Amino acid sequence: MTVTDTRATVYELMRAGQQQLCAAFEATDGQQHFIAYSWERPGGGGGTARIMTDGAVFERAGVNVSAVYGEEVPPSIWQHRPSTRGQPYFATGISMVLHPRNPYVPAFHANFRYFEAGEDWWFGGGMDLTPSYGFEEDARHFHVTLRDYCARHPIADYQTMKETCDRYFFLKHRNEMRGIGGIFFDDLNPAGTDGFERAFAFVSDGITTILNAYLPIVHRRMHTPYGERERSWQLYRRGRYVEFNLIYDRGTLFGLQTGGNIEAILMSLPPLARWEFNYQPEPGSPEAAMAEFLRPRDWAAA
């Protein structure tokens, strides 16, 4: 397979995934539709952001696909892979964030990406869940689905990817996890003449697994009654989501450093969030219980 064929193959996978996922999220919401916004990057490449706002289920949902290239990899790449510094690059991927309206439905994030830098190529990605209220049933479903997904591919190890996710989605300045994790991987470049095909199959299956991992939880919680207290807590927890994405998220940094479309980059932020100085949940409340829930745990073995 030539370089051109490889790039086109991965890009088409991302575009097909965008269509499949948006259709499923629209069907779940039942009220709003995604609006497409295409953009071009002056330095090379572009993408299409699909955004749904003010839905019955999803207050905001975004599913982006991009393919960009340039003469020199940005710092967000070479600081992680020093050997790529100064090399020309190509990158394509799909990224999504869903912020539900109901506080009992967890927020969801996933991305899958493919990079080339000089002679190097690799895949990365993963998915994670960020609940405002904890339900062990939901956490177990999510992680068991991801465990079984990884088990279908010899190149993937669920436990390693889970631990990587737990470390990555951690707010160091708060000393707390953003959510209950999931899986996260980078530098996936299997050895052998069929290495690309095996990595591609893993990513392709991952895009399909998104719906199996997340939507059953959405349907289970989307009609749960809630009031001002739950909504206020949800907005407070969304503040943590904002902090992570603006301080630590590699995808956000990559987009900013490569001159990507700012609206597409920041579509991951919730439409509403709040901060409160030195806020402490009421002892014994469901909100206070989240401090214990948001800890690394072997959910798939629970």
Side-chain angles (χ1 to χ4, degrees), residues 20 38 63-65 67 69 72 116 126 150-151 159 172 194 196 200 212 241 260 273 297 300:
Q20 175 192 17
S38 296
V63 185
N64 293 345
V65 167
Y69 54 89
E72 187 172 331
E116 292 177 2
C150 291
Q159 193 61 37
K172 302 177 183 66
D194 62 344
F196 175 85
F200 180 87
N212 298 329
Y241 207 99
R297 196 184 308 184

Side-chain angles (χ1 to χ4, degrees), residues 7-286:
R7 294 179 178 183
T9 297
V10 180
Y11 181 54
E12 286 307 312
L13 171 67
M14 305 304 176
R15 283 170 51 87
Q18 185 184 46
Q19 290 289 111
Q20 175 192 17
L21 292 167
C22 287
F25 297 147
E26 284 182 348
T28 297
D29 188 84
Q31 176 175 296
Q32 294 289 4
H33 298 280
F34 283 89
I35 303 299
Y37 174 73
S38 296
W39 53 275
E40 293 185 3
R41 176 176 170 272
T48 299
R50 294 185 180 271
I51 309 297
M52 180 167 60
T53 58
D54 201 26
V57 176
F58 300 112
E59 194 169 6
R60 172 176 292 166
V63 185
N64 293 345
V65 167
S66 63
V68 300
Y69 54 89
E71 294 300 318
E72 187 172 331
V73 296
S76 61
I77 299 299
W78 62 253
Q79 288 173 353
H80 181 61
R81 297 173 67 101
S83 63
T84 66
R85 187 169 186 173
Q87 297 293 320
Y89 71 92
F90 169 84
T92 185
I94 183 171
S95 177
M96 69 214 67
V97 175
L98 292 95
H99 292 289
R101 182 175 299 279
N102 191 312
Y104 289 103
V105 180
F108 175 78
H109 157 262
N111 76 80
F112 290 97
R113 55 197 182 274
Y114 171 73
F115 287 98
E116 292 177 2
E119 298 298 318
D120 293 340
W121 65 265
W122 66 96
F123 285 91
M127 62 189 85
D128 67 288
L129 202 66
T130 305
S132 296
Y133 289 93
F135 296 94
E136 293 197 7
E137 179 185 15
D138 296 348
R140 175 166 170 75
H141 166 82
F142 187 70
H143 277 275
V144 167
T145 303
L146 298 187
R147 181 199 64 192
D148 294 347
Y149 154 55
C150 291
R152 294 193 292 270
H153 301 269
I155 62 172
D157 180 72
Y158 163 76
Q159 193 61 37
T160 298
M161 292 181 176
K162 176 194 179 298
E163 292 172 1
T164 300
C165 188
D166 288 341
R167 290 192 299 268
Y168 180 70
F169 291 104
F170 184 81
L171 290 88
K172 302 177 183 66
H173 63 288
R174 297 281 190 182
N175 194 34
E176 65 182 47
M177 293 179 66
R178 188 176 80 173
I180 62 164
I183 59 169
F184 187 79
F185 65 96
D186 209 348
D187 304 321
L188 183 63
N189 181 342
T193 56
D194 62 344
F196 175 85
E197 286 73 17
R198 289 188 291 152
F200 180 87
F202 177 63
V203 169
S204 178
D205 191 12
I207 294 173
T208 301
T209 298
I210 288 169
L211 300 179
N212 298 329
Y214 182 52
L215 287 189
I217 298 171
V218 176
H219 287 285
R220 186 182 297 140
R221 307 295 171 192
M222 59 191 277
H223 298 301
T224 305
Y226 67 92
E228 291 185 10
R229 171 176 174 165
E230 291 84 0
R231 175 64 167 171
S232 180
W233 172 250
Q234 178 194 44
L235 298 185
Y236 177 74
R237 290 304 307 173
R238 281 181 178 177
R240 298 293 204 267
Y241 207 99
V242 172
E243 291 175 20
F244 180 89
N245 278 32
L246 295 183
I247 298 173
Y248 303 113
D249 188 77
R250 291 183 197 166
T252 301
L253 292 175
F254 177 81
L256 295 175
Q257 291 173 356
T258 56
N261 182 272
I262 192 64
E263 296 296 332
I265 295 168
L266 297 182
M267 72 87 191
S268 63
L269 301 181
L272 295 171
R274 64 183 285 263
W275 285 262
E276 185 172 332
F277 184 79
N278 198 31
Y279 172 71
Q280 299 294 327
E282 179 184 344
S285 68

